[in-house]
Amino acid sequence: MTEKPEKKNFFQDVYQVVEQIPAGRVTSYGAIASYLGSKGSARMVGWALIASHPAIQIPAHRVVNRVGMLTGSQHFDYPDAMQERLELEGVKVENNQVVEFQKLFWDPAKELL
C-alpha cells in the first residue's frame, strides 16, 4: 500500500515565510501569497496571521498591505501595538503607513531563493 503525499498546509507555509522577514523590514500579504504560488490570495495570508497562536511568536507586525499601510493593526493586543513593534525595530510609521516602504520592502521571491 502506498502512502499518500503529505497535504501542504498554506497557513504553515505563510508562517515559515513570515518567520524569515528580518527585523526592520516589511513585506506585503500579496508578496507572500505570490511567493507561495497563490497570487491573488493576499486575504488568505491575512487570515493565516490572524489564526496564528500567540505562543508561536510569528512577527506578523512586519506584514502590511501593498502600499505599506498597517491594515492588520486591529488584530493585535491594542490598536498601536503593530506600529510600536515596527518602531522598536527602526521602522518609521506616519499616519498608519510605513515611511520609505519601498526601501524597507522585503520580497520573499528575491530573498528566499
Side-chain angles (χ1 to χ4, degrees), residues 77-94:
D77 297 340
Y78 53 94
D80 294 329
M82 186 175 185
Q83 180 172 338
E84 287 176 9
R85 290 178 189 179
L86 286 169
E87 289 175 341
L88 282 172
E89 295 178 356
V91 175
K92 188 173 180 181
V93 177
E94 290 180 359

Side-chain angles (χ1 to χ4, degrees), residues 27-40:
T27 195
S28 69
Y29 303 100
I32 294 170
S34 291
Y35 173 74
L36 295 175
S38 295
K39 188 174 181 172

Side-chain angles (χ1 to χ4, degrees), residues 25-27 31 35 105-112:
R25 303 285 301 278
V26 293
T27 195
Y35 173 74
F105 185 74
W106 181 84
D107 186 351
K110 293 178 182 173
E111 304 291 339
L112 301 177

Side-chain angles (χ1 to χ4, degrees), residues 34-108:
S34 291
Y35 173 74
L36 295 175
S38 295
K39 188 174 181 172
S41 297
R43 284 188 178 167
M44 279 191 64
V45 172
W47 294 335
L49 295 176
I50 293 167
S52 68
H53 191 279
I56 299 174
Q57 300 293 326
I58 302 295
H61 63 283
R62 297 179 188 150
V63 184
V64 297
N65 80 359
R66 63 185 174 88
V67 295
M69 297 293 295
L70 310 188
T71 54
S73 60
Q74 72 273 15
H75 299 289
F76 285 82
D77 297 340
Y78 53 94
D80 294 329
M82 186 175 185
Q83 180 172 338
E84 287 176 9
R85 290 178 189 179
L86 286 169
E87 289 175 341
L88 282 172
E89 295 178 356
V91 175
K92 188 173 180 181
V93 177
E94 290 180 359
N95 298 318
N96 215 32
Q97 185 166 8
V98 173
V99 176
E100 297 185 329
F101 174 63
Q102 291 302 321
K103 179 182 173 189
L104 299 175
F105 185 74
W106 181 84
D107 186 351

Side-chain angles (χ1 to χ4, degrees), residues 9-22:
N9 185 322
F10 184 79
F11 282 22
Q12 285 302 120
D13 292 344
V14 168
Y15 304 152
Q16 288 175 355
V17 172
V18 174
E19 288 171 343
Q20 296 181 70
I21 305 168

